[in-house]
Amino acid sequence: MKKQKETISVDITMNHYGFYHNDEHFGNVHKPYRDWVVKKTGIKKWEDYHCGMWTTDIEMIDDWIEETNQPYETLFSEKDDGIYIVDKDWNYKQASEQKEG
């Protein structure tokens, strides 16, 4: 068998903690992230922050996850043009659920 490289699209059903169009949207809903961004960037207040102002949306949320030891991971959906927040071990859980199901 020969290894091939191509972009594929696969629909999966999974549990998640919300869909957000960008990190500003996430911060509007999730105060711990919002507070972290204000502290991290040195802006005076959340209203002064705009998505992409510091780094990309995904990088910013991923930095928050890593620096504050959150049990989450980000998944970007090109189809939906946004970010899903999922369990850190979502891939393992997904495989386990498929085996059981």
Side-chain angles (χ1 to χ4, degrees), residues 6 9 11-12 16 19-22 27 29-30 38-39 41 51-52 56 58 62-64 77-78 88 97-98 100-101:
E6 83 182 78
S9 177
D11 289 330
I12 59 173
H16 62 85
F19 173 80
Y20 305 94
H21 297 284
N22 53 49
V29 175
H30 194 66
V38 169
K39 183 178 179 182
T41 64
C51 64
T56 68
I58 291 284
D62 285 346
D63 286 350
W64 169 73
S77 170
E78 288 187 29
K88 189 167 271 184
E97 288 172 4
Q98 287 177 349
E100 293 172 4

Side-chain angles (χ1 to χ4, degrees), residues 10-40:
V10 178
D11 289 330
I12 59 173
T13 301
M14 63 188 303
N15 296 319
H16 62 85
Y17 296 97
F19 173 80
Y20 305 94
H21 297 284
N22 53 49
D23 79 311
E24 185 178 3
H25 178 202
F26 180 57
N28 288 335
V29 175
H30 194 66
K31 187 175 182 331
Y33 176 74
R34 181 171 60 231
D35 293 345
W36 177 85
V37 167
V38 169
K39 183 178 179 182
K40 175 86 173 172

Side-chain angles (χ1 to χ4, degrees), residues 69-92:
N69 200 29
Q70 299 294 318
Y72 312 118
E73 187 174 326
T74 55
L75 287 180
F76 182 76
S77 170
E78 288 187 29
K79 178 183 167 206
D80 301 317
D81 193 26
I83 304 160
Y84 286 94
I85 305 295
V86 298
D87 287 319
K88 189 167 271 184
D89 56 356
W90 71 271
N91 202 10
Y92 173 76

Side-chain angles (χ1 to χ4, degrees), residues 23-24 33 37-38 41-57 60:
D23 79 311
E24 185 178 3
Y33 176 74
V37 167
V38 169
T41 64
I43 59 174
K44 300 285 185 208
K45 56 188 176 186
W46 176 249
E47 293 75 23
D48 295 333
Y49 180 75
H50 302 287
C51 64
M53 185 173 154
W54 192 259
T55 62
T56 68
D57 300 326
M60 198 69 171

